[in-house]
Amino acid sequence: MAQNILEVKNVSKAYDSTYGVKNINFTLKKGQVLGFLGKNGAGKTTTIKLIMNLLNKDKGKINIFGKDHSLYEKKLKQKIGFVYDQLYYHSNETASIARKTVKRFYNNWNDESFDYYMKKFELPYNKKIKELSQGMKMKLGLTLALSHNAELFIMDEPTSGLDPVVRDELLQILKEIIVQNKN
């Protein structure tokens, strides 16, 4: 029986008098893919932020790899590749600078993986982030998430705002990564 790598039990988060999420429950086993579908405001991003401990839950329990996500946050985040809905780096930074910044936070950072995905995604090392297209920014975010041997990937709308060609390309790359990680 596969271990649950993610467990969300009766988690709620309220904003003032309205709920962002209320009593949500789900589990994710190793090798599974889970997607949140819903209209804007349904709580998808709130749920992701709760899992990543970027928001404090009002109640419930979140375990990642069998451990409380807030008590073992630093250790658990070593195993998570996280892609935000947009790239939050200074607009004058480059991919090379982003690599130097991000790699300091991960014990298992792998420069060969970073270089592999930079080449695969045809990303420039020294172009300023503000000069990158939205698709290139998402690919850079994915490259950073894939470069530290993560065991769980969490992505918040990685294809939002992309043109159809780039969206399809990114979805194909994600499929390849999923197949690679199952083997």
Side-chain angles (χ1 to χ4, degrees), residues 3-9 25-30 32 34 36 47-48 50-52 61-67 69 76 80 152-154:
Q3 173 196 11
N4 289 333
I5 58 172
L6 177 60
E7 298 172 326
V8 176
K9 297 179 183 175
N25 292 280
F26 61 88
T27 59
L28 181 68
K29 294 189 182 318
K30 184 176 174 122
Q32 288 184 322
L34 172 70
F36 296 138
T47 302
I48 290 170
L50 289 167
I51 293 167
M52 294 302 296
K61 188 170 187 168
I62 299 172
N63 287 331
I64 302 173
F65 300 104
K67 299 194 181 298
H69 82 299
L76 291 171
I80 300 172
L152 171 63
F153 295 97
I154 297 176

Side-chain angles (χ1 to χ4, degrees), residues 4-174:
N4 289 333
I5 58 172
L6 177 60
E7 298 172 326
V8 176
K9 297 179 183 175
N10 296 313
V11 172
S12 294
K13 172 66 181 173
Y15 298 100
D16 298 321
S17 62
T18 61
Y19 276 97
V21 294
K22 186 175 183 180
N23 295 323
I24 58 171
N25 292 280
F26 61 88
T27 59
L28 181 68
K29 294 189 182 318
K30 184 176 174 122
Q32 288 184 322
V33 176
L34 172 70
F36 296 138
L37 301 174
K39 62 183 181 180
N40 289 343
K44 300 177 301 287
T45 297
T46 296
T47 302
I48 290 170
K49 287 181 177 181
L50 289 167
I51 293 167
M52 294 302 296
N53 207 28
L54 298 172
L55 286 176
N56 293 320
K57 61 191 177 305
D58 295 331
K59 73 172 200 163
K61 188 170 187 168
I62 299 172
N63 287 331
I64 302 173
F65 300 104
K67 299 194 181 298
D68 182 285
H69 82 299
S70 58
L71 294 177
Y72 297 92
E73 180 176 8
K74 188 174 178 182
K75 182 177 181 179
L76 291 171
K77 285 187 176 177
Q78 291 290 319
K79 298 179 172 192
I80 300 172
F82 184 51
V83 180
Y84 290 95
D85 57 346
Q86 50 186 299
L87 195 61
Y88 292 100
Y89 291 94
H90 191 279
S91 61
N92 285 321
E93 283 189 3
T94 63
S96 293
I97 293 170
R99 174 198 343 215
K100 287 177 188 175
T101 302
V102 172
K103 78 185 278 182
R104 297 183 324 197
F105 295 102
Y106 293 102
N107 299 330
N108 292 321
W109 181 265
N110 187 320
D111 278 325
E112 289 84 23
S113 289
F114 183 86
D115 292 335
Y116 169 81
Y117 286 108
M118 288 292 290
K119 184 176 180 179
K120 181 172 184 61
F121 297 153
E122 299 176 358
L123 294 171
Y125 284 86
N126 294 311
K127 194 172 189 179
K128 291 181 180 180
I129 289 173
K130 68 182 176 186
E131 298 169 348
L132 300 177
S133 69
Q134 183 62 26
M136 292 172 85
K137 289 176 185 176
M138 290 310 296
K139 289 177 184 178
L140 178 55
L142 190 56
T143 296
L144 293 165
L146 291 168
S147 296
H148 61 89
N149 300 310
E151 298 175 43
L152 171 63
F153 295 97
I154 297 176
M155 299 177 209
D156 189 4
E157 300 193 40
T159 62
S160 179
L162 301 181
D163 68 62
V165 173
V166 174
R167 182 186 63 81
D168 289 347
E169 179 187 8
L170 190 56
L171 289 173
Q172 182 59 41
I173 290 165
L174 291 172

